Amino acid sequence: MRADRLVSLVLLLRQRGRMTAGALARELEVSVRTVLRDMDALSAAGVPVYAERGRHGGFALLPDFQTALTGLNHDEALALLVAGSRRGAQLFGLGSALASAMLKVVDALPEDLRDTAADAARRLLVDPETDLLSRRVAVEEVSDAIAAEVRRAVFAGHRLRIHYAAVGQAPRWRTVDPIGLVTVREQGYLLAKRGGEDRTYRLSRVLAAEELDEPAQRPDTVDLDRAWQERNARFRTGGEKVAVLVRVDPAQREHLVGTALAVCAEDADTDGRLRLDVVFQDARHAEWALWQHATRAEVLAPQWLRASLRDRAAAITARYGPPS
């Protein structure tokens, strides 16, 4: 850990110039005393760091101390910076590692690319917290310690004990054979096997985790994308899920899709509207979601949902009709 911190310290000074011990301590999340010790270590190792005293003083590097990463063009450098703005690393407990890695990448860029790529990256916003309707994206928090334990078990091929809080159930311990990690729309999932059966666990519901010494009972190779698609298909068709065939105005498509669990099929209808096969959590969810669209969406099937929406509309008409 100290070696990584020393590298990060050098890169901070390379990119930002003179910095005080207090500013470095806040950036690295350590004490000022630790920063001073690290400066002594850098100096002893031959890194040209020096201190300037006074009101505007601080630590700095000699200007000719630098490294360079060659072979990257502008778009490749920009792609690296944009990739560093995604939240997958945070969900998997790699947030601090990503920040350190991006610092090293930026520092190692050729000087003529460093400023232009960084300026271009500031003009791109990836996955903001709210959309145009001010709806906040649901961001799930996962403890770094838990994520690290899960991640180690996945990569080492070891069994994993997790204290898991399933929906509607008291938390309990489970021993699983981890297969891989997936992030979808700001949510992280652990794909695993338990008792030979496929299981999917949301990382935010893992309350504690412990890597075991036992080897995991899992295939040597895995097509994670295919495994996710298969589990996704089973999820859409299992339990009390409700499949609905609906005809909707194209302008309402995104709103409808945003309230559904999944879209199984989509076609253009003859009148210019779209015909979608969508899946909802249950009957109540389906009725609530379709009611939001009023006459801009029409349920074609199932018949009980058409009747339910018709009865609700009749009740509203009776309530707000002219006085007798």
Side-chain angles (χ1 to χ4, degrees), residues 2 5-6 9 12-13 19-42 49 59:
R2 189 186 186 195
R5 189 174 68 244
L6 292 175
L9 194 155
L12 282 169
L13 294 178
M19 294 181 69
T20 66
L24 288 167
R26 288 191 296 272
E27 191 72 32
L28 298 172
E29 298 181 346
V30 296
S31 68
V32 170
R33 181 175 295 181
T34 297
V35 169
L36 296 177
R37 285 200 301 265
D38 287 348
M39 287 298 176
D40 289 339
L42 288 174
V49 60
F59 292 98

Side-chain angles (χ1 to χ4, degrees), residues 97-115:
L98 174 63
S100 176
M102 295 311 299
L103 198 63
K104 295 173 185 177
V105 167
V106 171
D107 183 77
L109 289 174
E111 188 172 356
D112 59 336
L113 288 182
R114 190 182 306 132
D115 293 338

Side-chain angles (χ1 to χ4, degrees), residues 185-255:
R185 294 181 181 177
E186 308 295 333
Q187 297 175 350
Y189 298 89
L190 167 67
L191 272 57
K193 285 186 174 292
R194 182 164 168 259
E197 299 292 328
D198 289 341
R199 293 288 186 268
T200 304
Y201 301 99
R202 185 174 290 188
L203 290 179
S204 61
R205 294 179 183 154
V206 178
L207 307 180
E210 178 187 355
E211 179 189 5
L212 304 179
D213 290 334
E214 310 168 42
Q217 303 300 309
R218 66 181 191 183
D220 292 335
T221 60
V222 62
D223 185 338
L224 207 57
D225 183 62
R226 180 177 179 181
W228 176 256
Q229 295 301 329
E230 290 174 349
R231 295 176 191 219
N232 194 22
R234 288 198 295 269
F235 175 79
R236 290 199 306 265
T237 57
E240 299 179 357
K241 309 297 186 299
V242 172
V244 177
L245 177 61
V246 59
R247 188 160 48 201
V248 63
D249 290 342
Q252 292 293 112
R253 181 194 178 280
E254 293 305 316
H255 186 198

Side-chain angles (χ1 to χ4, degrees), residues 44-151:
V47 176
V49 60
Y50 65 95
E52 290 188 356
R53 300 187 182 278
R55 182 179 178 183
H56 300 292
F59 292 98
L61 292 167
L62 293 178
D64 59 348
F65 182 78
Q66 61 181 359
T67 59
L69 176 64
T70 59
L72 284 181
N73 60 36
H74 175 271
D75 286 348
E76 290 169 340
L78 181 59
L80 287 174
L81 296 177
V82 171
S85 67
R86 305 306 294 265
R87 265 190 50 83
Q90 278 77 13
L91 287 172
F92 297 150
L94 293 170
S96 59
L98 174 63
S100 176
M102 295 311 299
L103 198 63
K104 295 173 185 177
V105 167
V106 171
D107 183 77
L109 289 174
E111 188 172 356
D112 59 336
L113 288 182
R114 190 182 306 132
D115 293 338
T116 55
D119 181 67
R122 284 192 290 270
R123 299 180 186 277
L124 299 174
L125 178 61
V126 182
D127 293 336
E129 291 187 358
T130 60
D131 61 16
L132 288 176
L133 299 178
S134 296
R135 296 175 298 193
R136 290 187 65 84
V137 176
V139 177
E140 298 189 341
E141 297 298 328
V142 180
S143 153
D144 284 351
I146 291 175
E149 196 74 8
V150 173
R151 189 176 68 247

